[in-house]
Amino acid sequence: QKEVEQDPGPLSVPEGAIVSLNCTYSNSAFQYFMWYRQYSRKGPELLMYTYSSGNKEDGRFTAQVDKSSKYISLFIRDSQPSDSATYLCAMLDDKIIFGKGTRLHILP
Amino acid sequence: EAQVTQNPRYLITVTGKKLTVTCSQNMNHEYMSWYRQDPGLGLRQIYYSMNVEVTDKGDVPEGYKVSRKEKRNFPLILESPSPNQTSLYFCASGNLYGGYTFGSGTRLTVV
């Protein structure tokens, strides 16, 4: 079983919709969870991070961690075409382990 | 501006011709790392460095070398490139809890 699983997509949603991006993981020792956003032809950039379980909100973005289910989510409210990108989840063990990314398209 | 600078952005080379991809950061980070990104495989770590003169293998180190003689620079060396090293390469610096800052990438094609 891979350590971090992420649906590659692509995921296409209409502008203004709520987007839900998810990752599952197998290592219960993970405590620190991150989401990176990668635009085409650019390097990934850190979007949000959370420590342990719970929710964290930043503007239109909410990161959620459910350690009991080994499941993390990123919600994007009022999605915009500028949110079209690949979103990578990442988790910290003794190094950062990245998911393979989900391609998101927001349709105008 | 805090950034990681990679050069070149694009490179086409022939099999066996040694090349170096440079990486420089201006954030005084101790930790630096190289990744390659391939479709369907995601980001895979090649080498990383915890500090000057300290380097370690990542998940896919074969065919690559690195050096860390100064804190700000972390070049990636391909002594004898092969077509299976055609990929998109990213340098990153940062710390585990603060996250990484990535460079803009180097698209390498080996023919």
Side-chain angles (χ1 to χ4, degrees):
Chain A
Q1 183 183 7
K2 295 183 180 126
E3 280 199 283
V4 179
E5 302 250 21
Q6 188 174 10
D7 189 324
L11 178 64
S12 297
V13 299
E15 183 176 355
I18 295 175
V19 175
S20 173
L21 302 166
N22 311 294
C23 285
T24 59
Y25 62 94
S26 58
N27 186 349
S28 58
F30 289 143
Q31 294 282 352
Y32 196 78
F33 305 90
M34 292 163 276
W35 286 95
Y36 283 78
R37 177 176 61 195
Q38 184 177 16
Y39 289 115
S40 181
R41 300 188 191 87
K42 298 283 189 182
E45 57 177 334
L46 182 64
L47 195 59
M48 293 186 70
Y49 63 88
T50 55
Y51 183 74
S52 197
S53 285
N55 292 359
K56 182 174 182 179
E57 190 172 320
D58 183 1
R60 296 184 295 110
F61 297 87
T62 299
Q64 191 174 80
V65 175
D66 181 349
K67 291 193 72 184
S68 62
S69 301
K70 297 192 184 72
Y71 190 87
I72 69 170
S73 301
L74 178 70
F75 298 97
I76 306 174
R77 290 185 300 281
D78 187 25
S79 55
Q80 305 293 311
S82 59
D83 295 326
S84 297
T86 296
Y87 291 80
L88 299 94
C89 63
M91 304 174 192
L92 178 61
D93 190 1
D94 57 345
K95 62 179 180 179
I96 294 180
I97 298 169
F98 289 91
K100 292 181 181 178
T102 299
R103 286 172 53 205
L104 174 65
H105 297 298
I106 306 299
L107 307 170
Chain B
E1 180 189 352
Q3 59 186 357
V4 175
T5 303
Q6 288 179 235
N7 280 297
R9 290 292 311 276
Y10 302 92
L11 179 60
I12 301 174
T13 190
V14 295
T15 298
K17 185 177 181 181
K18 181 180 178 179
L19 66 92
T20 299
V21 184
T22 63
C23 174
S24 180
Q25 52 98 0
N26 63 0
M27 295 163 282
N28 203 35
H29 287 150
E30 292 182 345
Y31 184 93
M32 297 185 75
S33 183
W34 276 102
Y35 292 86
R36 59 179 290 174
Q37 188 175 41
D38 302 286
L41 298 177
L43 282 166
R44 293 182 292 168
Q45 191 176 47
I46 302 171
Y47 269 94
Y48 65 96
S49 171
M50 301 293 284
N51 212 329
V52 176
E53 301 291 1
V54 180
T55 62
D56 275 300
K57 296 178 180 178
D59 300 316
V60 288
E62 294 77 21
Y64 304 95
K65 285 175 60 177
V66 293
S67 69
R68 188 88 182 275
K69 293 185 172 57
E70 310 164 89
K71 201 171 191 179
R72 62 182 292 124
N73 295 323
F74 190 44
L76 179 69
I77 303 155
L78 284 73
E79 295 269 2
S80 182
S82 61
N84 64 11
Q85 293 178 296
T86 292
S87 186
L88 179 58
Y89 291 86
F90 288 104
C91 179
S93 77
N95 58 74
L96 292 177
Y97 291 96
Y100 294 166
T101 299
F102 283 82
S104 296
T106 296
R107 186 166 292 281
L108 172 66
T109 302
V110 183
V111 297

